[in-house]
Short mmCIF file of all heavy atoms in Angstrom, two decimals:
data_model
loop_
_atom_site.label_atom_id
_atom_site.label_comp_id
_atom_site.label_asym_id
_atom_site.label_seq_id
_atom_site.Cartn_x
_atom_site.Cartn_y
_atom_site.Cartn_z
N THR A 95 80.81 50.41 126.02
CA THR A 95 80.17 50.55 127.31
C THR A 95 79.72 51.98 127.56
O THR A 95 80.33 52.94 127.08
CB THR A 95 81.10 50.13 128.46
OG1 THR A 95 82.25 50.97 128.46
CG2 THR A 95 81.52 48.68 128.33
N ALA A 96 78.65 52.08 128.33
CA ALA A 96 78.17 53.36 128.85
C ALA A 96 78.09 53.23 130.36
O ALA A 96 77.38 52.34 130.86
CB ALA A 96 76.81 53.72 128.26
N THR A 97 78.84 54.07 131.06
CA THR A 97 78.80 54.07 132.52
C THR A 97 78.03 55.30 132.98
O THR A 97 78.43 56.44 132.69
CB THR A 97 80.21 54.07 133.11
OG1 THR A 97 80.90 52.88 132.69
CG2 THR A 97 80.16 54.11 134.63
N LEU A 98 76.93 55.07 133.66
CA LEU A 98 76.03 56.15 134.07
C LEU A 98 76.16 56.40 135.57
O LEU A 98 76.04 55.47 136.38
CB LEU A 98 74.57 55.79 133.74
CG LEU A 98 74.08 55.98 132.31
CD1 LEU A 98 74.93 55.20 131.30
CD2 LEU A 98 72.62 55.56 132.18
N THR A 99 76.43 57.64 135.92
CA THR A 99 76.46 58.05 137.32
C THR A 99 75.13 58.73 137.63
O THR A 99 74.71 59.64 136.90
CB THR A 99 77.63 59.00 137.59
OG1 THR A 99 78.86 58.35 137.23
CG2 THR A 99 77.67 59.40 139.04
N PHE A 100 74.48 58.29 138.71
CA PHE A 100 73.14 58.78 138.99
C PHE A 100 72.99 59.17 140.45
O PHE A 100 73.80 58.82 141.31
CB PHE A 100 72.09 57.72 138.61
CG PHE A 100 72.30 56.38 139.27
CD1 PHE A 100 71.78 56.11 140.53
CD2 PHE A 100 73.03 55.38 138.63
CE1 PHE A 100 71.97 54.88 141.13
CE2 PHE A 100 73.24 54.14 139.22
CZ PHE A 100 72.71 53.88 140.48
N GLU A 101 71.92 59.93 140.71
CA GLU A 101 71.55 60.30 142.07
C GLU A 101 70.17 59.76 142.38
O GLU A 101 69.32 59.64 141.48
CB GLU A 101 71.53 61.82 142.24
CG GLU A 101 72.87 62.50 142.06
CD GLU A 101 72.74 64.02 142.16
OE1 GLU A 101 71.60 64.51 142.35
OE2 GLU A 101 73.77 64.71 142.03
N ARG A 102 69.94 59.46 143.63
CA ARG A 102 68.61 59.03 144.06
C ARG A 102 67.76 60.24 144.41
O ARG A 102 68.14 61.04 145.26
CB ARG A 102 68.71 58.09 145.26
CG ARG A 102 69.08 56.68 144.86
CD ARG A 102 69.24 55.77 146.08
NE ARG A 102 69.49 54.41 145.61
CZ ARG A 102 70.63 54.01 145.09
NH1 ARG A 102 71.64 54.86 144.98
NH2 ARG A 102 70.78 52.77 144.66
N VAL A 103 66.64 60.35 143.77
CA VAL A 103 65.68 61.38 144.12
C VAL A 103 64.81 60.89 145.28
O VAL A 103 64.49 61.64 146.21
CB VAL A 103 64.81 61.76 142.91
CG1 VAL A 103 63.78 62.82 143.28
CG2 VAL A 103 65.69 62.25 141.77
N LYS A 104 64.47 59.59 145.22
CA LYS A 104 63.76 58.94 146.33
C LYS A 104 64.75 58.06 147.08
O LYS A 104 65.46 57.26 146.47
CB LYS A 104 62.59 58.12 145.80
CG LYS A 104 61.48 58.97 145.20
CD LYS A 104 60.28 58.12 144.81
CE LYS A 104 59.13 58.99 144.29
NZ LYS A 104 57.96 58.17 143.86
N GLU A 105 64.78 58.20 148.37
CA GLU A 105 65.84 57.62 149.19
C GLU A 105 65.99 56.11 149.00
O GLU A 105 67.11 55.60 148.90
CB GLU A 105 65.56 57.93 150.66
CG GLU A 105 66.64 57.44 151.60
CD GLU A 105 66.37 57.84 153.04
OE1 GLU A 105 65.40 58.59 153.27
OE2 GLU A 105 67.12 57.40 153.93
N ASN A 106 64.91 55.38 148.93
CA ASN A 106 65.00 53.92 148.87
C ASN A 106 64.82 53.36 147.46
O ASN A 106 64.61 52.16 147.29
CB ASN A 106 63.96 53.30 149.80
CG ASN A 106 64.25 53.62 151.25
OD1 ASN A 106 65.40 53.60 151.67
ND2 ASN A 106 63.19 53.93 152.02
N ALA A 107 64.93 54.22 146.47
CA ALA A 107 64.79 53.73 145.08
C ALA A 107 65.88 52.72 144.77
O ALA A 107 67.04 52.90 145.16
CB ALA A 107 64.85 54.91 144.13
#
Side-chain angles (χ1 to χ4, degrees):
T95 61
T97 299
L98 280 57
T99 302
F100 55 87
E101 296 177 0
R102 281 177 175 73
V103 179
K104 292 186 177 178
E105 183 176 354
N106 295 319

